[in-house]
Amino acid sequence: MVKIAIDMMGGDNAPNIVIEAVKQAIHDFKDLEILLFGDENKCDFKHERVKFTHTDEVITMDDEPVRSIKRKKNASMVLAAKSVKDGLAEACVSAGNTGALMSSGLFIVGRIKGIERPALVATFPTVTGKGFVFLDIGANSDAKPEHLVQYAKMGEIYAKQIRGIDKPSLALLNIGTEESKGNAQTKKTYQLLKEENFENFIGNVEPKTLLLDASDVVVSDGYNGNMVLKTIEGTATGIFKMMKDVMTASPINKLAALTLKKDFGSIKDKLDYAEYGGSVLLGLNGIVVKAHGSSNERAFYNAIKQAKLAADTKIIDKMTKAVGDING
Amino acid sequence: MVKIAIDMMGGDNAPNIVIEAVKQAIHDFKDLEILLFGDENKCDFKHERVKFTHTDEVITMDDEPVRSIKRKKNASMVLAAKSVKDGLAEACVSAGNTGALMSSGLFIVGRIKGIERPALVATFPTVTGKGFVFLDIGANSDAKPEHLVQYAKMGEIYAKQIRGIDKPSLALLNIGTEESKGNAQTKKTYQLLKEENFENFIGNVEPKTLLLDASDVVVSDGYNGNMVLKTIEGTATGIFKMMKDVMTASPINKLAALTLKKDFGSIKDKLDYAEYGGSVLLGLNGIVVKAHGSSNERAFYNAIKQAKLAADTKIIDKMTKAVGDING
């Protein structure tokens, strides 16, 4: 039996989409037990494998991360993280305040010994639908080259365990492919990555080939990773908006668009984060999954599924061992 | 009469597209004189306002920037830059090796006194077609907050003079809009920008709103600027590829696509760098314009037009005065 703690109150569409996702997950996975934290007046779903803990304290999107988790000790997110810390659950999932969830991970769940900075990892969609493992996408804005080497190690394990890729290719996000390209940080990181014995380090990868399956794992500092992530989202949104304008510009266009609508929809689906579950805060002594703030039911369900897979594959044990190998 | 020096041999499609662009520019602007540098055997265009200087030395895309401009003293690019240095031309334009052109700018044309680092600026397209002034998009990968303040000042002048925008809004590229967001560099830069008396500093801007006319001028260090630029290009290319696949997937799709083809084409045009001319290396004692390496005739023509506008509006004098103001 895998036990997962869930913050019912986090995210733009909570608690409804959370409850629906929990229902679905409980139905699909017979070896799943859920510890649900939230307002009992807002949930009428009962199941023998769902253990409800009532709290009416909530961390909002506007709360200051570190302060809020210290003050709101009974917030649904804090209680979910605490159940991981106490060994009552193997993983926790929340769509709430990202900073607060990262702080909960750091200060409540705690780091793996030897990991200096946890990293936020996500499987990011590509044009073919294959996707790639991308980290750090926003946990630490100021990272050192040594931190990026740890991210690489964690990303490699994640790709193997969660995505089932044998000998995943590993690349460093950079503005050029040549070894000499980039800023002081990427140049130093490149050298360190070369010195480590990664199975399949393929060098630098440029953002323009990211969506074309350039590498199975792509490593970046959190500032750049987050920047690139938001740029991809922003560009896609902008182009889809222009496409929509074209497709509704005239009656003839509307008619032609009817034929293509479904297939164009599949483009959007391919680039949809909802298919890939949430981001995982790697480097902690427990699994902490961040579902997108505007998650729908499907996205939250995939985040639960991802947490379960991480628990099933004993990713924390493997991460802990690997970090020992890095440092020893 | 405005004199512009042109490297006939730089870029993927040289010299043909360069010669065609020169013809067009000479035709359109009666007050334009061109100093053309390249292989005379490859150009049969003659005009009383085109002064040809023959050289068969060329800097290639693979040449190491600084070394090549020192060794290949008669390369077409070097001669074009030298004519600006010697006051024979007010501007030079090249679609050749970016690093070599930047080195030519730095070491041949020279910096404006007080400018520590020149910045590469471009007008980048937005969804509405308005566009924004974006710098530094790749001149310096490791910049200090103080350099970004100089970029802001230069970008503001550029937006006023080249784009004719009165009181342009100015923003700092960042991963969040709040003052406290970002890495150590952006946090410090934000404070410095606030302290300076910019007419219209509007704070941070996220990449997801860049294409939605978030600000007239956007400032970044060269590493991030280049990263975001390449990410936008890569994402657009990926989506357009998927669109094309959809539109040719079946006979019915092809038929429907016929109707929409022209309007979808206009989306690509809107995001086409070719309409916006080249990038300008700002902070030098002369106008140095970099046309895209894969420029077509229209893109190179627009780069010449941009160089002429910069000369017409005496942008170097204004920049020099403004930098005096920054430092004094």
Short mmCIF file of all heavy atoms in Angstrom, two decimals, chain B residues 34-94:
data_model
loop_
_atom_site.label_atom_id
_atom_site.label_comp_id
_atom_site.label_asym_id
_atom_site.label_seq_id
_atom_site.Cartn_x
_atom_site.Cartn_y
_atom_site.Cartn_z
N ILE B 34 26.75 54.30 -50.60
CA ILE B 34 27.19 53.04 -50.01
C ILE B 34 28.64 52.72 -50.33
O ILE B 34 29.08 52.88 -51.48
CB ILE B 34 26.24 51.89 -50.44
CG1 ILE B 34 24.95 52.00 -49.60
CG2 ILE B 34 26.88 50.51 -50.26
CD1 ILE B 34 23.94 50.93 -49.84
N LEU B 35 29.37 52.34 -49.31
CA LEU B 35 30.74 51.85 -49.49
C LEU B 35 30.66 50.33 -49.39
O LEU B 35 30.38 49.80 -48.31
CB LEU B 35 31.65 52.38 -48.36
CG LEU B 35 32.13 53.83 -48.45
CD1 LEU B 35 30.97 54.81 -48.37
CD2 LEU B 35 33.11 54.13 -47.31
N LEU B 36 30.88 49.67 -50.51
CA LEU B 36 30.67 48.23 -50.55
C LEU B 36 32.02 47.50 -50.54
O LEU B 36 32.91 47.81 -51.33
CB LEU B 36 29.88 47.89 -51.82
CG LEU B 36 29.15 46.55 -51.91
CD1 LEU B 36 28.23 46.32 -50.75
CD2 LEU B 36 28.34 46.50 -53.23
N PHE B 37 32.17 46.53 -49.64
CA PHE B 37 33.43 45.80 -49.50
C PHE B 37 33.23 44.33 -49.82
O PHE B 37 32.42 43.67 -49.19
CB PHE B 37 33.98 45.95 -48.07
CG PHE B 37 34.30 47.37 -47.72
CD1 PHE B 37 33.33 48.20 -47.16
CD2 PHE B 37 35.57 47.89 -47.96
CE1 PHE B 37 33.62 49.52 -46.84
CE2 PHE B 37 35.87 49.21 -47.64
CZ PHE B 37 34.89 50.03 -47.08
N GLY B 38 33.99 43.82 -50.81
CA GLY B 38 33.85 42.42 -51.15
C GLY B 38 34.58 42.07 -52.44
O GLY B 38 35.41 42.84 -52.93
N ASP B 39 34.23 40.89 -52.94
CA ASP B 39 34.89 40.37 -54.14
C ASP B 39 34.25 40.98 -55.39
O ASP B 39 33.10 40.71 -55.70
CB ASP B 39 34.74 38.84 -54.14
CG ASP B 39 35.50 38.19 -55.28
OD1 ASP B 39 35.91 38.91 -56.22
OD2 ASP B 39 35.67 36.96 -55.22
N GLU B 40 35.03 41.77 -56.13
CA GLU B 40 34.45 42.48 -57.28
C GLU B 40 34.00 41.53 -58.39
O GLU B 40 33.16 41.87 -59.21
CB GLU B 40 35.41 43.54 -57.83
CG GLU B 40 36.69 42.99 -58.41
CD GLU B 40 37.67 44.10 -58.83
OE1 GLU B 40 37.28 45.27 -58.78
OE2 GLU B 40 38.82 43.76 -59.18
N ASN B 41 34.59 40.32 -58.39
CA ASN B 41 34.19 39.34 -59.41
C ASN B 41 32.77 38.82 -59.18
O ASN B 41 32.20 38.17 -60.04
CB ASN B 41 35.15 38.15 -59.43
CG ASN B 41 36.56 38.61 -59.72
OD1 ASN B 41 36.78 39.44 -60.62
ND2 ASN B 41 37.53 38.11 -58.96
N LYS B 42 32.27 39.07 -57.99
CA LYS B 42 30.95 38.54 -57.65
C LYS B 42 29.86 39.60 -57.66
O LYS B 42 28.74 39.36 -57.22
CB LYS B 42 31.00 37.85 -56.29
CG LYS B 42 31.79 36.55 -56.36
CD LYS B 42 31.83 35.81 -55.06
CE LYS B 42 32.56 34.49 -55.24
NZ LYS B 42 33.08 33.97 -53.99
N CYS B 43 30.21 40.81 -58.14
CA CYS B 43 29.22 41.89 -58.14
C CYS B 43 29.30 42.67 -59.44
O CYS B 43 30.34 43.26 -59.75
CB CYS B 43 29.48 42.83 -56.95
SG CYS B 43 28.36 44.24 -56.90
N ASP B 44 28.22 42.68 -60.20
CA ASP B 44 28.25 43.48 -61.43
C ASP B 44 27.36 44.71 -61.32
O ASP B 44 27.10 45.39 -62.30
CB ASP B 44 27.88 42.63 -62.66
CG ASP B 44 26.58 41.88 -62.43
OD1 ASP B 44 25.87 42.20 -61.46
OD2 ASP B 44 26.27 40.98 -63.23
N PHE B 45 26.91 45.00 -60.11
CA PHE B 45 26.08 46.19 -59.89
C PHE B 45 26.97 47.42 -59.73
O PHE B 45 27.87 47.46 -58.91
CB PHE B 45 25.21 46.01 -58.65
CG PHE B 45 24.40 47.23 -58.29
CD1 PHE B 45 23.47 47.77 -59.17
CD2 PHE B 45 24.56 47.83 -57.05
CE1 PHE B 45 22.72 48.90 -58.82
CE2 PHE B 45 23.81 48.95 -56.69
CZ PHE B 45 22.89 49.48 -57.59
N LYS B 46 26.71 48.40 -60.57
CA LYS B 46 27.48 49.65 -60.48
C LYS B 46 26.51 50.82 -60.37
O LYS B 46 25.44 50.81 -60.97
CB LYS B 46 28.35 49.82 -61.73
CG LYS B 46 29.58 48.93 -61.73
CD LYS B 46 30.53 49.32 -62.86
CE LYS B 46 31.90 48.68 -62.71
NZ LYS B 46 31.84 47.22 -62.50
N HIS B 47 26.89 51.80 -59.56
CA HIS B 47 26.03 52.98 -59.40
C HIS B 47 26.92 54.11 -58.91
O HIS B 47 27.89 53.90 -58.19
CB HIS B 47 24.93 52.66 -58.38
CG HIS B 47 23.83 53.69 -58.37
ND1 HIS B 47 23.95 54.91 -57.75
CD2 HIS B 47 22.59 53.69 -58.92
CE1 HIS B 47 22.83 55.61 -57.90
NE2 HIS B 47 21.98 54.87 -58.62
N GLU B 48 26.54 55.32 -59.31
CA GLU B 48 27.39 56.47 -58.94
C GLU B 48 27.44 56.68 -57.42
O GLU B 48 28.41 57.23 -56.89
CB GLU B 48 26.92 57.74 -59.64
CG GLU B 48 25.43 58.01 -59.40
CD GLU B 48 24.94 59.33 -60.01
OE1 GLU B 48 25.69 59.90 -60.82
OE2 GLU B 48 23.84 59.78 -59.63
N ARG B 49 26.40 56.19 -56.71
CA ARG B 49 26.44 56.34 -55.25
C ARG B 49 26.92 55.07 -54.53
O ARG B 49 26.76 54.94 -53.32
CB ARG B 49 25.05 56.75 -54.74
CG ARG B 49 24.73 58.22 -55.03
CD ARG B 49 23.43 58.68 -54.39
NE ARG B 49 22.26 58.32 -55.19
CZ ARG B 49 21.30 57.50 -54.80
NH1 ARG B 49 21.36 56.94 -53.61
NH2 ARG B 49 20.27 57.23 -55.58
N VAL B 50 27.48 54.13 -55.27
CA VAL B 50 28.07 52.93 -54.66
C VAL B 50 29.57 52.93 -54.95
O VAL B 50 29.99 52.88 -56.11
CB VAL B 50 27.43 51.63 -55.19
CG1 VAL B 50 28.15 50.41 -54.59
CG2 VAL B 50 25.95 51.58 -54.86
N LYS B 51 30.37 53.00 -53.89
CA LYS B 51 31.82 53.00 -54.06
C LYS B 51 32.33 51.60 -53.68
O LYS B 51 32.18 51.15 -52.55
CB LYS B 51 32.43 54.06 -53.13
CG LYS B 51 33.86 54.43 -53.50
CD LYS B 51 34.44 55.37 -52.46
CE LYS B 51 35.94 55.14 -52.37
NZ LYS B 51 36.49 55.50 -51.08
N PHE B 52 32.91 50.91 -54.65
CA PHE B 52 33.31 49.52 -54.41
C PHE B 52 34.77 49.43 -53.98
O PHE B 52 35.64 50.07 -54.57
CB PHE B 52 33.11 48.70 -55.69
CG PHE B 52 32.95 47.24 -55.40
CD1 PHE B 52 31.71 46.65 -55.29
CD2 PHE B 52 34.08 46.44 -55.18
CE1 PHE B 52 31.57 45.31 -55.01
CE2 PHE B 52 33.95 45.10 -54.87
CZ PHE B 52 32.69 44.52 -54.79
N THR B 53 35.05 48.64 -52.95
CA THR B 53 36.44 48.35 -52.58
C THR B 53 36.62 46.84 -52.65
O THR B 53 35.94 46.09 -51.95
CB THR B 53 36.75 48.84 -51.14
OG1 THR B 53 36.48 50.23 -51.08
CG2 THR B 53 38.22 48.58 -50.79
N HIS B 54 37.52 46.43 -53.50
CA HIS B 54 37.72 44.99 -53.68
C HIS B 54 38.58 44.38 -52.57
O HIS B 54 39.59 44.93 -52.15
CB HIS B 54 38.38 44.69 -55.02
CG HIS B 54 38.78 43.24 -55.15
ND1 HIS B 54 37.86 42.24 -55.36
CD2 HIS B 54 40.00 42.62 -55.04
CE1 HIS B 54 38.48 41.07 -55.39
NE2 HIS B 54 39.78 41.27 -55.19
N THR B 55 38.15 43.22 -52.09
CA THR B 55 38.99 42.39 -51.22
C THR B 55 38.53 40.95 -51.37
O THR B 55 37.33 40.70 -51.56
CB THR B 55 38.90 42.80 -49.74
OG1 THR B 55 39.67 41.88 -48.97
CG2 THR B 55 37.45 42.77 -49.22
N ASP B 56 39.46 40.03 -51.34
CA ASP B 56 39.00 38.64 -51.39
C ASP B 56 39.22 37.93 -50.05
O ASP B 56 39.06 36.73 -49.93
CB ASP B 56 39.62 37.84 -52.56
CG ASP B 56 41.09 38.12 -52.72
OD1 ASP B 56 41.71 38.52 -51.70
OD2 ASP B 56 41.61 37.96 -53.84
N GLU B 57 39.51 38.71 -49.02
CA GLU B 57 39.63 38.12 -47.68
C GLU B 57 38.25 38.16 -47.01
O GLU B 57 37.55 39.17 -47.08
CB GLU B 57 40.65 38.91 -46.86
CG GLU B 57 41.32 38.08 -45.79
CD GLU B 57 42.61 38.72 -45.26
OE1 GLU B 57 42.72 39.96 -45.25
OE2 GLU B 57 43.50 37.98 -44.84
N VAL B 58 37.88 37.05 -46.39
CA VAL B 58 36.54 36.95 -45.78
C VAL B 58 36.65 36.31 -44.40
O VAL B 58 37.43 35.38 -44.21
CB VAL B 58 35.60 36.07 -46.65
CG1 VAL B 58 34.26 35.87 -45.96
CG2 VAL B 58 35.39 36.70 -48.02
N ILE B 59 35.88 36.83 -43.44
CA ILE B 59 35.78 36.15 -42.15
C ILE B 59 34.62 35.17 -42.24
O ILE B 59 33.51 35.54 -42.60
CB ILE B 59 35.55 37.17 -41.00
CG1 ILE B 59 36.83 38.00 -40.84
CG2 ILE B 59 35.18 36.46 -39.70
CD1 ILE B 59 36.76 39.06 -39.77
N THR B 60 34.92 33.91 -41.92
CA THR B 60 33.87 32.89 -42.04
C THR B 60 33.13 32.72 -40.72
O THR B 60 33.54 33.27 -39.69
CB THR B 60 34.47 31.52 -42.44
OG1 THR B 60 35.23 31.04 -41.33
CG2 THR B 60 35.35 31.63 -43.66
N MET B 61 32.06 31.95 -40.75
CA MET B 61 31.26 31.72 -39.54
C MET B 61 32.07 30.93 -38.50
O MET B 61 31.78 31.01 -37.31
CB MET B 61 29.98 30.96 -39.89
CG MET B 61 28.97 31.81 -40.66
SD MET B 61 28.49 33.34 -39.78
CE MET B 61 27.12 33.91 -40.79
N ASP B 62 33.07 30.18 -38.95
CA ASP B 62 33.84 29.35 -38.04
C ASP B 62 35.05 30.06 -37.46
O ASP B 62 35.70 29.56 -36.54
CB ASP B 62 34.33 28.08 -38.77
CG ASP B 62 33.16 27.28 -39.32
OD1 ASP B 62 32.13 27.21 -38.61
OD2 ASP B 62 33.27 26.75 -40.43
N ASP B 63 35.39 31.23 -37.99
CA ASP B 63 36.57 31.94 -37.49
C ASP B 63 36.40 32.36 -36.04
O ASP B 63 35.31 32.74 -35.61
CB ASP B 63 36.83 33.19 -38.35
CG ASP B 63 37.62 32.87 -39.61
OD1 ASP B 63 38.40 31.90 -39.59
OD2 ASP B 63 37.46 33.60 -40.61
N GLU B 64 37.49 32.29 -35.30
CA GLU B 64 37.48 32.72 -33.91
C GLU B 64 37.46 34.26 -33.94
O GLU B 64 38.32 34.90 -34.56
CB GLU B 64 38.72 32.17 -33.20
CG GLU B 64 38.62 32.15 -31.68
CD GLU B 64 38.88 33.51 -31.07
OE1 GLU B 64 39.83 34.17 -31.51
OE2 GLU B 64 38.11 33.92 -30.19
N PRO B 65 36.43 34.88 -33.29
CA PRO B 65 36.19 36.32 -33.46
C PRO B 65 37.41 37.23 -33.32
O PRO B 65 37.81 37.87 -34.28
CB PRO B 65 35.15 36.63 -32.39
CG PRO B 65 34.38 35.36 -32.27
CD PRO B 65 35.38 34.27 -32.48
N VAL B 66 37.98 37.30 -32.12
CA VAL B 66 39.03 38.30 -31.88
C VAL B 66 40.25 38.03 -32.76
O VAL B 66 40.80 38.94 -33.39
CB VAL B 66 39.43 38.31 -30.39
CG1 VAL B 66 40.54 39.34 -30.15
CG2 VAL B 66 38.22 38.63 -29.53
N ARG B 67 40.65 36.76 -32.83
CA ARG B 67 41.83 36.43 -33.62
C ARG B 67 41.62 36.77 -35.10
O ARG B 67 42.51 37.32 -35.74
CB ARG B 67 42.15 34.93 -33.46
CG ARG B 67 43.62 34.61 -33.73
CD ARG B 67 43.89 33.12 -33.56
NE ARG B 67 43.35 32.63 -32.28
CZ ARG B 67 43.05 31.36 -32.04
NH1 ARG B 67 43.23 30.44 -32.97
NH2 ARG B 67 42.59 30.99 -30.86
N SER B 68 40.43 36.46 -35.61
CA SER B 68 40.20 36.66 -37.04
C SER B 68 40.25 38.12 -37.45
O SER B 68 40.79 38.46 -38.50
CB SER B 68 38.88 36.02 -37.48
OG SER B 68 37.79 36.65 -36.84
N ILE B 69 39.73 39.00 -36.60
CA ILE B 69 39.75 40.41 -37.02
C ILE B 69 41.16 40.99 -36.93
O ILE B 69 41.49 41.97 -37.57
CB ILE B 69 38.75 41.31 -36.25
CG1 ILE B 69 39.13 41.42 -34.78
CG2 ILE B 69 37.33 40.82 -36.41
CD1 ILE B 69 38.54 42.67 -34.13
N LYS B 70 42.01 40.36 -36.11
CA LYS B 70 43.40 40.83 -36.03
C LYS B 70 44.24 40.29 -37.17
O LYS B 70 45.11 40.98 -37.69
CB LYS B 70 44.00 40.42 -34.68
CG LYS B 70 43.45 41.30 -33.56
CD LYS B 70 44.05 41.02 -32.21
CE LYS B 70 43.43 41.95 -31.16
NZ LYS B 70 43.71 41.54 -29.79
N ARG B 71 43.95 39.05 -37.56
CA ARG B 71 44.75 38.44 -38.62
C ARG B 71 44.28 38.81 -40.02
O ARG B 71 45.08 39.00 -40.92
CB ARG B 71 44.71 36.91 -38.48
CG ARG B 71 45.51 36.45 -37.28
CD ARG B 71 45.70 34.95 -37.31
NE ARG B 71 46.37 34.50 -36.09
CZ ARG B 71 46.49 33.23 -35.75
NH1 ARG B 71 45.99 32.29 -36.53
NH2 ARG B 71 47.11 32.88 -34.64
N LYS B 72 42.97 38.84 -40.17
CA LYS B 72 42.43 39.13 -41.52
C LYS B 72 42.13 40.63 -41.64
O LYS B 72 40.97 41.04 -41.68
CB LYS B 72 41.17 38.30 -41.75
CG LYS B 72 41.43 36.79 -41.76
CD LYS B 72 40.16 36.03 -42.12
CE LYS B 72 40.44 34.55 -42.34
NZ LYS B 72 39.20 33.78 -42.62
N LYS B 73 43.20 41.39 -41.74
CA LYS B 73 43.05 42.85 -41.71
C LYS B 73 42.35 43.40 -42.95
O LYS B 73 41.88 44.53 -42.97
CB LYS B 73 44.42 43.51 -41.55
CG LYS B 73 44.98 43.35 -40.13
CD LYS B 73 46.09 44.34 -39.86
CE LYS B 73 46.77 44.08 -38.52
NZ LYS B 73 45.83 44.08 -37.37
N ASN B 74 42.32 42.61 -44.02
CA ASN B 74 41.64 43.06 -45.23
C ASN B 74 40.31 42.36 -45.47
O ASN B 74 39.77 42.42 -46.58
CB ASN B 74 42.55 42.85 -46.44
CG ASN B 74 43.66 43.88 -46.45
OD1 ASN B 74 43.42 45.06 -46.27
ND2 ASN B 74 44.90 43.43 -46.62
N ALA B 75 39.80 41.70 -44.43
CA ALA B 75 38.49 41.06 -44.60
C ALA B 75 37.43 42.13 -44.84
O ALA B 75 37.53 43.26 -44.31
CB ALA B 75 38.15 40.24 -43.36
N SER B 76 36.43 41.77 -45.62
CA SER B 76 35.38 42.74 -45.98
C SER B 76 34.74 43.36 -44.73
O SER B 76 34.49 44.57 -44.67
CB SER B 76 34.32 42.06 -46.85
OG SER B 76 33.87 40.86 -46.24
N MET B 77 34.51 42.54 -43.70
CA MET B 77 33.90 43.04 -42.47
C MET B 77 34.81 44.04 -41.76
O MET B 77 34.37 45.10 -41.30
CB MET B 77 33.59 41.88 -41.53
CG MET B 77 32.92 42.29 -40.23
SD MET B 77 32.97 40.97 -39.00
CE MET B 77 31.72 39.86 -39.63
N VAL B 78 36.08 43.69 -41.70
CA VAL B 78 37.05 44.56 -41.02
C VAL B 78 37.18 45.90 -41.74
O VAL B 78 37.19 46.97 -41.10
CB VAL B 78 38.43 43.85 -40.93
CG1 VAL B 78 39.51 44.79 -40.41
CG2 VAL B 78 38.32 42.60 -40.05
N LEU B 79 37.23 45.85 -43.06
CA LEU B 79 37.35 47.09 -43.83
C LEU B 79 36.10 47.98 -43.65
O LEU B 79 36.21 49.21 -43.55
CB LEU B 79 37.56 46.78 -45.32
CG LEU B 79 38.90 46.10 -45.67
CD1 LEU B 79 38.97 45.81 -47.17
CD2 LEU B 79 40.09 46.96 -45.24
N ALA B 80 34.95 47.33 -43.58
CA ALA B 80 33.71 48.10 -43.38
C ALA B 80 33.74 48.80 -42.02
O ALA B 80 33.42 49.99 -41.90
CB ALA B 80 32.49 47.18 -43.49
N ALA B 81 34.16 48.06 -40.98
CA ALA B 81 34.24 48.65 -39.64
C ALA B 81 35.29 49.77 -39.61
O ALA B 81 35.10 50.82 -39.00
CB ALA B 81 34.58 47.58 -38.61
N LYS B 82 36.40 49.55 -40.31
CA LYS B 82 37.47 50.54 -40.31
C LYS B 82 37.01 51.85 -40.96
O LYS B 82 37.42 52.94 -40.54
CB LYS B 82 38.69 49.97 -41.04
CG LYS B 82 39.98 50.64 -40.63
CD LYS B 82 41.22 49.84 -40.98
CE LYS B 82 42.47 50.68 -40.68
NZ LYS B 82 42.48 51.95 -41.45
N SER B 83 36.15 51.74 -41.96
CA SER B 83 35.68 52.96 -42.62
C SER B 83 34.82 53.80 -41.67
O SER B 83 34.76 55.01 -41.79
CB SER B 83 34.94 52.63 -43.92
OG SER B 83 33.73 51.97 -43.61
N VAL B 84 34.16 53.11 -40.71
CA VAL B 84 33.40 53.85 -39.68
C VAL B 84 34.38 54.52 -38.72
O VAL B 84 34.26 55.70 -38.39
CB VAL B 84 32.43 52.92 -38.92
CG1 VAL B 84 31.76 53.65 -37.76
CG2 VAL B 84 31.38 52.35 -39.86
N LYS B 85 35.37 53.75 -38.30
CA LYS B 85 36.40 54.28 -37.40
C LYS B 85 37.06 55.53 -38.00
O LYS B 85 37.29 56.54 -37.31
CB LYS B 85 37.46 53.18 -37.18
CG LYS B 85 38.76 53.66 -36.53
CD LYS B 85 38.53 54.00 -35.08
CE LYS B 85 39.83 54.40 -34.40
NZ LYS B 85 39.56 54.83 -33.01
N ASP B 86 37.36 55.46 -39.33
CA ASP B 86 38.07 56.55 -39.98
C ASP B 86 37.16 57.71 -40.40
O ASP B 86 37.62 58.66 -41.04
CB ASP B 86 38.81 56.01 -41.22
CG ASP B 86 39.90 55.00 -40.84
OD1 ASP B 86 40.31 54.99 -39.65
OD2 ASP B 86 40.33 54.22 -41.71
N GLY B 87 35.89 57.59 -40.08
CA GLY B 87 34.98 58.68 -40.39
C GLY B 87 34.55 58.74 -41.85
O GLY B 87 33.94 59.71 -42.30
N LEU B 88 34.85 57.68 -42.60
CA LEU B 88 34.46 57.65 -44.02
C LEU B 88 33.00 57.22 -44.17
O LEU B 88 32.37 57.52 -45.17
CB LEU B 88 35.36 56.69 -44.79
CG LEU B 88 36.86 57.01 -44.73
CD1 LEU B 88 37.69 55.88 -45.35
CD2 LEU B 88 37.14 58.34 -45.43
N ALA B 89 32.50 56.49 -43.17
CA ALA B 89 31.09 56.09 -43.17
C ALA B 89 30.52 56.31 -41.77
O ALA B 89 31.26 56.28 -40.78
CB ALA B 89 30.96 54.61 -43.56
N GLU B 90 29.22 56.52 -41.69
CA GLU B 90 28.60 56.73 -40.37
C GLU B 90 28.15 55.42 -39.75
O GLU B 90 27.96 55.33 -38.54
CB GLU B 90 27.41 57.67 -40.51
CG GLU B 90 27.82 59.11 -40.72
CD GLU B 90 26.73 59.90 -41.44
OE1 GLU B 90 25.83 60.39 -40.74
OE2 GLU B 90 26.79 60.00 -42.68
N ALA B 91 27.98 54.42 -40.60
CA ALA B 91 27.46 53.14 -40.12
C ALA B 91 28.03 52.01 -40.94
O ALA B 91 28.45 52.22 -42.08
CB ALA B 91 25.94 53.12 -40.22
N CYS B 92 28.07 50.81 -40.36
CA CYS B 92 28.40 49.63 -41.16
C CYS B 92 27.38 48.53 -40.89
O CYS B 92 26.78 48.46 -39.80
CB CYS B 92 29.83 49.15 -40.94
SG CYS B 92 30.18 48.53 -39.30
N VAL B 93 27.17 47.69 -41.89
CA VAL B 93 26.18 46.60 -41.80
C VAL B 93 26.83 45.30 -42.27
O VAL B 93 27.51 45.29 -43.30
CB VAL B 93 24.95 46.88 -42.69
CG1 VAL B 93 23.90 45.79 -42.52
CG2 VAL B 93 24.34 48.25 -42.38
N SER B 94 26.63 44.22 -41.50
CA SER B 94 27.15 42.92 -41.91
C SER B 94 26.22 41.81 -41.44
O SER B 94 25.62 41.90 -40.37
CB SER B 94 28.55 42.70 -41.31
OG SER B 94 29.00 41.38 -41.60
#
